Amino acid sequence: QSVLTQPPSVSGAPGQRVTISCTGSSSNIGAGYDVHWYQQFPGTAPKLLIYGNSNRPSGVPDRFSGSKSGTSASLAITGLQAEDEADYYCQSYDSSLTGPYVFGAGTKVTVL
Amino acid sequence: DVQLVESGGGLVQPGGSLRLSCAASGFTFSSYSMNWVRQAPGKGLEWVSYISSNSRTIYYAGSVKGRFTISRDNTRNSLYLQMNRLRAEDTAVYYCAREGGQYVDILTGYEDLGYWGQGTLVTVSS
């Protein structure tokens, strides 16, 4: 059980807006630590999607956006496209754990 | 271009050992911290181990501490994971991952994982 909680799945029709939440606590997101998001297609390696809460690496479409407030972070996909169907993971730092990285359990995005 | 290529995975019996390698190219390997992240079949991502650029700082997840050893050879641009006393629950795809290199969390000093290898599958079964 991860210290970062994500919904197992979200879905939306093409063109719609979907959001994925990443809920933490005072020892991680609530402490001000940054949140990063990764996208993973079946059978492939994860890819960095959002870094530093809201920044997109070069090549990531601007329909992906990230935000953070309090003990939670969110990833929004606007204008949902069929090729956005994938698993999405949030990642942060937790002061109660031994290492520098902790991941959420992941959210499967399904395009209806 | 940054390239990370893992190797060394395979089938091993419970209690056995395996050594994973990650060959890096396209960047100055000795300048970056590296990590191992694993993913059990049908499950999410689990961070396993971290090693700083000069090998002075090393961390392990509690689930592998005392059984796994991370190391690197900056002269060979390679990262390693020695896995001993393997258990069925260690079955996973193991990825090596490099910090992104363009953003640092000012509170922790850590970065995102900007680059990943393609992974190598480790299966622990009798």
Side-chain angles (χ1 to χ4, degrees):
Chain A
Q1 189 131 354
S2 177
V3 296
L4 302 177
T5 302
Q6 298 181 235
S9 64
V10 299
S11 61
Q16 282 190 331
R17 180 179 188 269
V18 297
T19 61
I20 301 169
S21 60
C22 176
T23 303
S25 67
S26 58
S27 63
N28 43 68
I29 300 174
Y33 304 131
D34 287 334
V35 178
H36 316 295
W37 291 89
Y38 303 85
Q39 177 189 56
Q40 186 182 34
F41 297 104
T44 69
K47 166 193 161 186
L48 180 65
L49 192 67
I50 297 287
Y51 65 91
N53 307 311
S54 59
N55 302 288
R56 285 186 308 276
S58 172
V60 173
D62 59 7
R63 63 177 184 274
F64 293 95
S65 63
S67 63
K68 188 183 85 167
S69 179
T71 58
S72 294
S74 291
L75 174 70
I77 311 174
T78 57
L80 191 65
Q81 298 184 7
E83 58 260 38
D84 299 332
E85 189 162 291
D87 294 321
Y88 295 83
Y89 295 88
C90 62
Q91 175 254 304
S92 187
Y93 172 88
D94 190 289
S95 59
S96 70
L97 301 176
T98 56
Y101 299 99
V102 61
F103 292 94
T107 298
K108 169 70 175 179
V109 169
T110 300
V111 182
L112 301 172
Chain B
D1 283 5
V2 172
Q3 273 208 313
L4 299 169
V5 180
E6 301 93 337
S7 61
L11 175 63
V12 60
Q13 291 189 337
S17 298
L18 212 55
R19 189 195 197 207
L20 305 184
S21 298
C22 172
S25 61
F27 64 100
T28 304
F29 181 70
S30 59
S31 296
Y32 293 90
S33 299
M34 298 293 296
N35 294 267
W36 289 98
V37 178
R38 69 183 180 183
Q39 185 170 36
K43 303 297 185 181
L45 301 173
E46 179 188 15
W47 169 80
V48 172
S49 186
Y50 164 99
I51 186 168
S52 62
S53 58
N54 58 11
S55 302
R56 289 179 184 170
T57 301
I58 287 175
Y59 299 113
Y60 298 99
S63 57
V64 306
K65 193 170 186 179
R67 301 187 298 122
F68 289 13
T69 301
I70 191 172
S71 62
R72 65 190 294 162
D73 185 340
N74 287 343
T75 65
R76 295 178 182 270
N77 293 338
S78 293
L79 174 72
Y80 306 101
L81 186 67
Q82 177 67 43
M83 304 185 295
N84 298 331
R85 304 201 313 269
L86 282 160
R87 307 166 180 166
E89 53 265 36
D90 295 319
T91 294
V93 174
Y94 285 73
Y95 297 101
C96 68
R98 198 205 87 174
E99 55 187 6
Q102 58 180 344
Y103 181 90
V104 180
D105 185 332
I106 60 172
L107 293 181
T108 67
Y110 295 112
E111 303 182 26
D112 52 81
L113 296 173
Y115 298 92
W116 298 67
Q118 86 289 348
T120 186
L121 176 62
V122 172
T123 303
V124 184
S125 175
S126 54

